[in-house]
């Protein structure tokens, strides 16, 4: 009934701006009060108000809403993307954790390509944020991502290469522990090494690979194979 009452008639731009300023002040000084004030507004109206604010203040309102996930996912994909870019990667982690699959896809589509060339390191930096945001957004990303995108990512950002076994290795193994060797870290299945171009990304890549291998082992093996044996140009065209 509250939503019907608050959305019964169009509000003037001036009244919306005044309400946005009031809510912003509450977000800074009384988050609990902000949540209570927003609870009487529909998600659509909350999204309208959020988009009237500069990105840093918009982030504050989004995260202090009564239902942050519903509100974040109510933002149009383009506005979600601009908000994430404007607040910056570090501040955007909560928004990444709350985003819909479509919003994440839109973000990666715009950030991963330079004309018709795939930028693996730039895409990987955003995927690293997904991993930092938790297993749930990482799982959604892995389920939704095209096989070709994952193969390009594994080839360029993760740089996974199949281990070449010496004579007798099938029986005695390759003699490396989980940490791998100076040549690179081991993938969860033990058959590949990976050496990211950005060393700081190694821990998040390890978590990404572990989750992928645990939940989609057959697809994981297929993607690793494609990343090693298919040409990047063919994957990009696909």
């Amino acid at each position: 009934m509250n939503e019907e009452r608050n959305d019964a008639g169009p509000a003037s731009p001036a009244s919306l701006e005044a309400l946005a300023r009031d809510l912003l002040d509450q977000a800074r000084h009384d988050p609990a009060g902000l949540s209570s004030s927003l609870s009487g507004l529909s998600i659509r109206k909350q999204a309208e108000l959020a988009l009237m604010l500069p990105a840093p203040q918009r982030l504050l309102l989004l995260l202090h809403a009564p239902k942050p996930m519903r509100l974040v996912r109510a933002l149009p994909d383009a506005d979600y993307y601009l908000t994430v870019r404007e607040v910056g990667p570090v501040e955007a982690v909560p928004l990444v954790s709350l985003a819909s699959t479509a919003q994440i896809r839109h973000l990666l589509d715009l950030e991963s390509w330079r004309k018709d060339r795939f930028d693996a390191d730039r895409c990987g930096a955003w995927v690293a944020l997904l991993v930092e945001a938790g297993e749930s957004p990482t799982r959604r990303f892995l389920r939704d991502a095209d096989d070709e995108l994952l193969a390009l990512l594994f080839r360029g950002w993760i740089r996974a290469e199949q281990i070449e076994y010496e004579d007798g290795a099938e029986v005695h193994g390759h003699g490396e522990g989980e940490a791998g060797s100076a040549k690179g870290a081991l993938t969860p299945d033990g058959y590949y090494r990976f050496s990211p171009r950005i060393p700081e990304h190694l821990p998040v890549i390890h978590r990404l690979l572990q989750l992928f291998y645990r939940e989609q082992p057959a697809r994981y093996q297929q993607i690793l194979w494609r990343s090693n044996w298919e040409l990047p140009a063919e994957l990009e065209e696909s």
Side-chain angles (χ1 to χ4, degrees):
M1 292 181 65
N2 284 339
E3 293 192 0
E4 292 176 2
R5 184 182 65 249
N6 281 284
D7 286 348
S12 68
S15 64
L16 281 175
E17 289 176 7
L19 181 55
R21 287 195 298 270
D22 290 344
L23 292 173
L24 175 58
D25 187 62
Q26 279 188 302
R28 288 171 170 163
H29 302 105
D30 180 22
L34 170 69
S35 181
S36 177
S37 296
L38 288 175
S39 65
L41 300 173
S42 69
I43 292 294
R44 182 178 65 83
K45 188 69 72 179
Q46 291 177 42
E48 274 185 66
L49 291 165
L51 293 174
M52 295 179 68
L53 301 174
Q57 291 77 19
R58 187 184 313 149
L59 174 67
L60 200 58
L61 189 148
L62 291 169
L63 298 183
H64 285 97
K67 297 180 179 178
M69 181 176 287
R70 283 191 62 197
L71 180 54
V72 168
R73 294 183 179 189
L75 299 179
D77 293 349
D79 290 307
Y80 171 82
Y81 169 71
L82 291 174
T83 301
V84 168
R85 283 299 311 272
E86 289 174 28
V87 301
V90 175
E91 297 295 330
V93 171
L95 291 181
V96 170
S97 70
L98 297 170
S100 68
T101 299
Q103 287 170 331
I104 293 299
R105 187 189 309 122
H106 185 78
L107 170 67
L108 292 179
D109 282 347
L110 292 178
E111 288 293 304
S112 302
W113 295 89
R114 295 294 172 262
K115 295 185 178 178
D116 60 345
R117 307 303 297 177
F118 182 74
D119 188 333
D121 287 338
R122 192 173 181 87
C123 180
W126 287 102
V127 173
L129 283 186
L130 278 168
V131 179
E132 293 288 358
E135 281 198 5
S136 182
T138 307
R139 192 177 290 112
R140 291 199 302 272
F141 161 71
L142 289 170
R143 284 199 302 259
D144 179 70
D146 293 335
D147 287 359
E148 290 77 14
L149 182 143
L150 290 176
L152 286 166
L153 194 64
F154 278 35
R155 184 184 184 96
W157 177 53
I158 294 177
R159 298 199 300 179
E161 297 180 348
Q162 190 168 4
I163 296 174
E164 295 183 6
Y165 288 91
E166 298 178 358
D167 290 344
E170 291 84 357
V171 177
H172 301 292
H174 44 62
E176 297 182 19
E178 184 178 339
S181 66
K183 296 179 181 179
L186 285 184
T187 56
D189 60 323
Y191 290 102
Y192 295 82
R193 292 191 190 95
F194 67 94
S195 53
R197 203 185 326 270
I198 304 170
E200 292 79 10
H201 286 168
L202 193 146
V204 295
I205 289 174
H206 199 261
R207 282 151 56 192
L208 176 74
L209 292 174
Q210 285 182 320
L211 182 64
F212 195 20
Y213 180 59
R214 184 173 74 237
E215 301 212 343
Q216 302 181 57
R219 186 170 177 234
Y220 162 93
Q221 295 290 353
Q222 181 187 42
I223 297 301
L224 279 169
W225 186 91
R226 294 186 69 178
S227 73
N228 273 261
W229 298 107
E230 290 192 31
L231 296 175
E234 293 176 352
L235 292 168
E236 287 172 341
E237 186 177 353
S238 298

